[in-house]
Amino acid sequence: MSECAHGTDSVPTTSAPTHLRVEHTDDTLGTDVRRPRLSWRLPAGSHRQTAYRIRAGDWDSGRIESDRSVLLPFTGPEAAPGQRMDWRVMVWTDAGESEWSETSSWEAGLRPGDWTAAWIEPAEERELPAGARPAYLLRHEFAVEDAASPARVYATAHGVYELFLNGTRLGDHELSPGFTAYRTRLHVQTHDVTGLLRPGANVLAAVLSDGWFRGRTGYHRIPDGYGPRTALLAELHVRSGDADAVVARTGPGWRSTAGEVVAADLMDGQQVDFTRASPGWHQAGFDDSTWPHVTAVEGPLNADIGRLTTSPAPPVRVVERLAPVAISSPRPGVQVVDFGQNINGWIRLTELGPRGTVLTLTHGEALDADGDVTTDHLAGVDELAGRTYDVGQIDHVVSAGRAGDVFEPRHTTHGFRYVRVEGLPGPLAPADMSAAVVHTDLRRTGWFRCSDERINRLHEAAVWSFRGNACDVPTDCPTRERAGFTGDWQVFLPTAAFLYDVAGFSVKWLRDLAADQWPDGRVPNWAPEPGLDRRADEMYAFMNGSAGWGDAAVLVPWYTYLAYDDTDVLAEQYESMTRWVAFAANGARNGRFGARAEAHPEPRPHEEFLWDAGFHWGEWLEPEQADDTPFYFQDHGAVATAYLYMSSRLLSRIAHILGKTSDAERYGHYADHVLAAWRTEFIRPDGTLTVDTQANHVRALAFGVVPEELRAKTAERLVALVRAADTHIGTGFLATPYLLPVLADTGHLDVAYELLFQDTRPSWLAMIDRGATTIWEDWDGIADDGTPKASLNHYSKGAVVSFLHGHTAGIRLREDAPGYRHFDIRPQPGGGLTWAEADLDSPYGRIAAHWRIADARFHLTAVVPPGTTATITLPDGTSVDATAGSHSLGCVLS
């Protein structure tokens, strides 16, 4: 028998709203959103908002009756280009009238029609192959009289660029302008250069390399994905009063030359020859008379100024720097630096040796038996073409022997923990090298800790794996492919949205997905998709449009909406969603799996809704498969039809949310047919599933395709399959995130914890025990003899940590209350854990669930932010509804 005690701790009251945000950022410079949405958090100590009032510039909304404080559209006047709009808010709550908040702001950028600059291409003396092309230096000297007024530079590029004004590097953004569907969307960056101008001569300069635009990309290292030449677009505005003068712009007067970066490629690496440096090239007075003039260009892509926009996501930055944890020398002339953590980024090296020293830096995730860096497991193999692709990840440096030279390759990135250094005459000291952790500068929002240190290390490995794959787009790995695979992001997004604020990051990526969606509605395997010219290749076309991957078009907007209460993302992506579901429905209606067609030459009525044809990755990388047929010849109908049901059902709900009643009914009716088809085809008369795998049972329960009366039986069979595998994981890419939650939610919490704590392969803790600091692509990422296999930084299987957030700690998002407006705290302890803590910065404020077990009693401290409510359920089943504040609850464990 159990008992429960409940109490509420008072929270100090603050007098004003806090955490003001514009769209999904804290402060916005140069946005093209003319009437952005505004958010704030209610004063601590309040429970609910009844009204608000906004002041922005000279505009005053007056009192507006509303309980909403997240993503409210601004109804005041549009800001003019270059105009800064300062805003603040006050609210009325149950605690009374608040004071005015601190001031936040946004500033409007250029509209497409405001541009006066011309696209310029650097002079290239000869054509070079991708991977061997230099980074070009571009510069222009100009004069100004008014150097004290506010000034802005607006810039973008075809390629990756760094911008300088009078020798000062502008901003801390990396890899600008980022990776987008360049044919449709190209991001512009705005730099505040107030105070950097000088009376008289000034210089605006840039370093420009291939980047994603024409560098080698993806598994197959395809070059020139968007064009054969790089280009720069920039202009500098000085504001005096209400007047805005353009004092410098890209155009025919610029000059360019190849610089000390003699080769730069995001996949291959960067080569720098410091003996070719031109000191002072980006400052006034430098003699550039021997530099060739640039070419101003007006090609079709350059002429499309309408594609210039701004990113809703934070920029890529150097987020952290790591010091070496060990330096070894496995053989003469070779030093291996271990940074202790697998990351995405680059190194910073200050010891370059005497003039003429040639250094080779090889980056890798693993060591071989001799303690040397190995990259063999990262090589891409095209079995059909019979070729192996270079791993890349190698930098080269030629020293000028000049004091102060630093090698930091900002025009490439690598996935690595270890760096092999060859060519340095003397030993490296730890202070000579550091590792820059480079990724989108996402705001951390979620944390978890518990009493088992291995579980904590697993959680951190998942966090680091995401960090290594959030470099402007959500990639599959930072090494071999580095592509925005659709399936990876739909699998991991719910986990990522707990750990970080990925709202703008997701919206940015979804825009690229919609832009690169095929005319027939097919969603490519990755977005952005550089290889549009490959669509005529029948094999390439066939290998796109897979279930579970293409369904990202529906699932990613849905998960983003749920986490952030962002209805706009549903409206913006609605056409993309409908086109994907139409493609999948067409595949179900017009295609049939060969063996099924042979068994039933005349299609049965339900097969119109059975998606069993076309190309599907299926349950990618299951630990063991009874069927050794190549995956592309297997029947993936159970997987694809389940996803067709899930996406069409969600599309019906989304249509209802958007007020599209007839669409909601139509997609709901279609989903019912797909559900009936799945049940007809994949459930035997005795109630068992025809596909007898862990993954199929997990998906059947998670997606609700088995009838309610069969859920218990299906769950029991899942447990039997787990036991038959000696309590090991049998799921692959798509089902693994659902495995533990499904077990817990069907009454098998003990089995879920046994799998979590399993430490022999395949398992999560087997990775951790073998030294993983990020999540492996393959369950057998490091063999018994230490040989690495496949990528060691693929975050998909790390989605298991959502079980820690939502079941162990118990913080759960509700589909009927997006943005955590109403949420559940329902901890389910197990596995011998004696305490666990999770914290989440939701759109409304900090949520916390901290519990401990002592003397057979369960003690919980829960924090509910203002403006929200929570349903708190203890392990004994006792449930209470809680409003804002800190709540202490406890019960006796039976």
Side-chain angles (χ1 to χ4, degrees):
M1 184 174 181
S2 62
E3 60 184 36
C4 177
H6 171 231
T8 303
D9 298 330
S10 62
V11 176
T13 301
T14 58
S15 56
T18 60
H19 295 81
L20 273 62
R21 289 171 66 76
V22 179
E23 288 293 321
H24 293 296
T25 63
D26 297 317
D27 204 349
T28 303
L29 180 67
T31 180
D32 64 354
V33 181
R34 300 306 172 189
R35 285 195 173 92
R37 296 169 298 170
L38 310 178
S39 304
W40 57 88
R41 294 184 187 174
L42 303 186
S46 63
H47 288 79
R48 63 188 181 280
Q49 174 185 294
T50 56
Y52 67 86
R53 180 183 178 187
I54 294 173
R55 283 181 177 168
D58 297 329
W59 179 79
D60 192 322
S61 70
R63 176 175 171 137
I64 297 177
E65 304 296 322
S66 173
D67 64 351
R68 290 191 57 81
S69 58
V70 172
L71 296 175
L72 280 83
F74 176 64
T75 57
E78 287 189 12
Q83 179 183 357
R84 181 183 179 91
M85 189 73 79
D86 294 322
W87 72 284
R88 53 183 180 157
V89 62
M90 64 176 294
V91 296
W92 287 264
T93 70
D94 56 293
E97 180 181 316
S98 78
E99 296 180 359
W100 285 99
S101 68
E102 297 288 333
T103 299
S104 179
S105 68
W106 73 90
E107 182 176 301
L110 298 184
R111 298 182 178 96
D114 298 327
W115 285 86
T116 61
W119 280 99
I120 57 173
E121 292 177 351
E124 297 190 40
E125 296 180 358
R126 56 196 176 99
E127 291 187 8
L128 293 170
R133 296 164 179 158
Y136 288 90
L137 309 180
L138 301 92
R139 74 185 302 274
H140 176 63
E141 194 161 324
F142 61 97
V144 298
E145 295 181 1
D146 180 7
S149 295
R152 302 287 187 267
V153 172
Y154 305 95
T156 189
H158 292 159
V160 164
Y161 78 96
E162 296 178 83
L163 212 57
F164 300 83
L165 182 58
N166 295 327
T168 299
R169 184 174 184 262
L170 301 187
D172 58 359
H173 298 190
E174 304 291 353
L175 305 176
S176 294
F179 192 15
T180 56
Y182 294 122
R183 301 175 189 87
T184 305
R185 310 184 63 80
L186 179 62
H187 289 154
V188 172
Q189 288 72 48
T190 301
H191 301 278
D192 183 351
V193 296
T194 305
L196 293 181
L197 288 171
R198 305 165 185 165
N202 293 262
V203 170
L204 186 61
V207 180
L208 179 64
S209 67
D210 285 7
W212 289 282
F213 188 84
R214 73 165 186 175
R216 305 212 299 169
T217 61
Y219 185 89
H220 296 95
R221 302 294 200 272
I222 302 298
D224 303 332
Y226 297 95
R229 296 291 299 274
T230 57
L232 179 71
L233 182 72
E235 55 185 73
L236 190 159
H237 291 229
V238 173
R239 194 170 189 85
S240 181
D242 292 332
D244 198 33
V246 181
V247 300
R249 59 174 70 86
T250 49
W254 285 58
R255 292 178 181 266
S256 69
T257 191
E260 65 198 54
V261 180
V262 297
D265 187 87
L266 287 172
M267 301 291 285
D268 290 348
Q270 186 165 320
Q271 302 178 37
V272 174
D273 185 346
F274 281 105
T275 67
R276 299 189 182 188
S278 302
W281 69 275
H282 44 28
Q283 295 177 337
F286 178 83
D287 182 7
D288 63 5
S289 59
T290 61
W291 289 22
H293 284 283
V294 302
T295 302
V297 290
E298 298 180 351
L301 195 60
N302 307 91
D304 185 7
I305 297 296
R307 67 197 170 98
L308 300 185
T309 182
T310 55
S311 176
V316 172
R317 289 189 171 100
V318 174
V319 177
E320 187 176 349
R321 293 189 185 271
L322 304 179
V325 298
I327 301 176
S328 60
S329 181
R331 64 180 189 275
V334 172
Q335 300 179 71
V336 173
V337 183
D338 178 4
F339 290 100
Q341 175 62 55
N342 203 12
I343 67 166
N344 177 72
W346 53 66
I347 61 97
R348 186 176 192 272
L349 181 63
T350 57
E351 177 52 57
L352 305 179
R355 183 179 178 86
T357 300
V358 179
L359 305 178
T360 300
L361 310 171
T362 304
H363 303 72
E365 298 180 319
L367 301 179
D368 62 18
D370 297 323
D372 197 2
V373 174
T374 180
T375 58
D376 293 346
H377 61 293
L378 298 175
V381 179
D382 187 336
E383 296 180 357
L384 293 177
R387 63 175 295 187
T388 300
Y389 299 100
D390 294 337
V391 175
Q393 298 222 126
I394 300 176
D395 296 334
H396 298 277
V397 190
V398 178
S399 173
R402 185 170 45 235
D405 280 352
V406 174
F407 175 71
E408 184 163 1
R410 299 183 183 277
H411 291 254
T412 190
T413 62
H414 308 301
F416 68 99
R417 171 178 171 172
Y418 305 97
V419 180
R420 178 202 298 138
V421 182
E422 298 174 89
L424 195 65
L428 273 170
D432 294 335
M433 183 185 285
S434 62
V437 179
V438 179
H439 58 73
T440 300
D441 192 8
L442 301 167
R443 179 174 60 97
R444 184 75 185 262
T445 56
W447 300 264
F448 174 85
R449 291 279 297 169
C450 71
S451 57
D452 190 286
E453 195 53 38
R454 288 196 301 172
I455 299 299
N456 294 334
R457 285 172 21 222
L458 170 63
H459 188 272
E460 285 309 293
V463 171
W464 274 102
S465 208
F466 174 56
R467 293 179 66 181
N469 285 288
C471 192
D472 210 57
V473 298
T475 58
D476 61 326
C477 65
T479 52
R480 185 185 62 230
E481 293 160 311
R482 204 182 300 168
F485 268 87
T486 49
D488 296 65
W489 190 229
Q490 75 88 356
V491 164
F492 196 77
L493 173 55
T495 306
F498 186 98
L499 297 170
Y500 287 91
D501 181 353
V502 296
F505 183 73
S506 254
V507 168
K508 171 196 173 295
W509 182 78
L510 282 168
R511 290 172 178 170
D512 294 327
L513 181 149
D516 281 349
Q517 195 167 358
W518 293 26
D520 62 1
R522 183 184 330 227
V523 172
N525 289 325
W526 48 77
E529 183 195 24
L532 290 188
D533 59 342
R534 300 176 64 201
R535 293 180 179 178
D537 181 334
E538 291 185 4
M539 179 60 71
Y540 182 78
F542 172 70
M543 292 184 66
N544 282 272
S546 168
W549 275 253
D551 291 281
V554 178
L555 297 177
V556 172
W558 175 251
Y559 294 145
T560 305
Y561 157 73
L562 287 181
Y564 303 103
D565 197 8
D566 186 354
T567 308
D568 281 15
V569 71
L570 300 180
E572 183 177 336
Q573 296 298 128
Y574 186 75
E575 181 184 355
S576 172
M577 298 183 218
T578 60
R579 293 178 61 217
W580 164 251
V581 170
F583 168 82
N586 184 64
R589 184 169 52 252
N590 296 319
R592 300 185 73 202
F593 184 67
R596 188 169 285 106
E598 290 179 9
H600 302 279
E602 184 67 27
R604 293 161 294 173
H606 72 275
E607 291 191 49
E608 178 183 351
F609 306 98
L610 196 69
W611 192 16
D612 61 347
F615 173 84
H616 300 288
W617 296 103
E619 187 61 30
W620 184 245
L621 294 180
E622 282 179 283
E624 294 182 12
Q625 301 181 58
D627 187 353
D628 59 2
T629 304
F631 77 94
Y632 40 83
F633 289 142
Q634 294 178 17
D635 179 6
H636 296 297
V639 178
T641 307
Y643 270 98
L644 178 56
Y645 166 67
M646 170 67 88
S647 284
S648 55
R649 179 178 65 84
L650 285 179
L651 188 51
S652 174
R653 294 183 63 181
I654 291 165
H656 178 75
I657 292 167
L658 297 177
K660 300 177 183 291
T661 304
S662 60
D663 281 7
E665 293 177 354
R666 178 162 55 92
Y667 287 117
H669 185 63
Y670 181 78
D672 290 342
H673 281 298
V674 177
L675 177 61
W678 196 97
R679 290 175 173 176
T680 299
E681 187 69 25
F682 301 114
I683 302 179
R684 297 187 181 95
D686 64 358
T688 60
L689 305 188
T690 60
V691 181
D692 197 27
T693 64
Q694 286 188 34
N696 192 50
H697 286 74
V698 168
R699 191 163 26 254
L701 292 163
F703 287 13
V705 293
V706 291
E708 186 64 32
E709 63 270 17
L710 291 180
R711 286 187 64 81
K713 181 176 183 175
T714 304
E716 288 167 2
R717 179 56 187 164
L718 171 60
V719 171
L721 291 168
V722 169
R723 296 302 190 198
D726 198 21
T727 314
H728 285 87
I729 300 162
T731 54
F733 194 94
L734 294 174
T736 294
Y738 302 104
L739 175 58
L740 301 192
V742 158
L743 286 167
D745 293 344
T746 55
H748 302 284
L749 181 66
D750 56 337
V751 181
Y753 274 108
E754 287 181 54
L755 283 173
L756 177 65
F757 279 91
Q758 176 63 258
D759 57 9
T760 58
R761 293 178 298 158
S763 70
W764 292 283
L765 289 188
M767 297 186 196
I768 301 305
D769 289 347
R770 291 176 184 261
T773 62
T774 48
I775 302 299
W776 299 341
E777 177 183 16
D778 196 284
W779 289 113
D780 294 328
I782 299 290
D784 291 336
D785 63 0
T787 303
K789 175 184 178 182
S791 164
L792 301 184
N793 195 351
H794 256 66
Y795 54 53
S796 62
K797 292 180 174 67
V800 65
V801 301
S802 281
F803 175 79
L804 303 175
H805 307 149
H807 288 76
T808 302
I811 299 175
R812 303 194 196 185
L813 180 63
R814 294 169 61 119
E815 292 193 356
D816 62 352
Y820 294 90
R821 189 73 182 269
H822 183 184
F823 58 94
D824 292 319
I825 295 181
R826 187 170 44 160
Q828 293 180 281
L833 296 177
T834 58
W835 62 267
E837 300 176 350
D839 297 271
L840 170 65
D841 279 340
S842 77
Y844 294 92
R846 177 64 62 95
I847 296 170
H850 297 184
W851 61 258
R852 59 186 174 85
I853 296 171
D855 300 325
R857 280 190 60 86
F858 181 86
H859 304 267
L860 172 68
T861 299
V863 176
V864 181
T868 71
T869 56
T871 298
I872 304 174
T873 304
L874 297 177
D876 69 345
T878 303
S879 182
V880 298
D881 288 327
T883 57
S886 178
H887 305 268
S888 298
L889 304 95
C891 68
V892 175
L893 294 176
S894 56

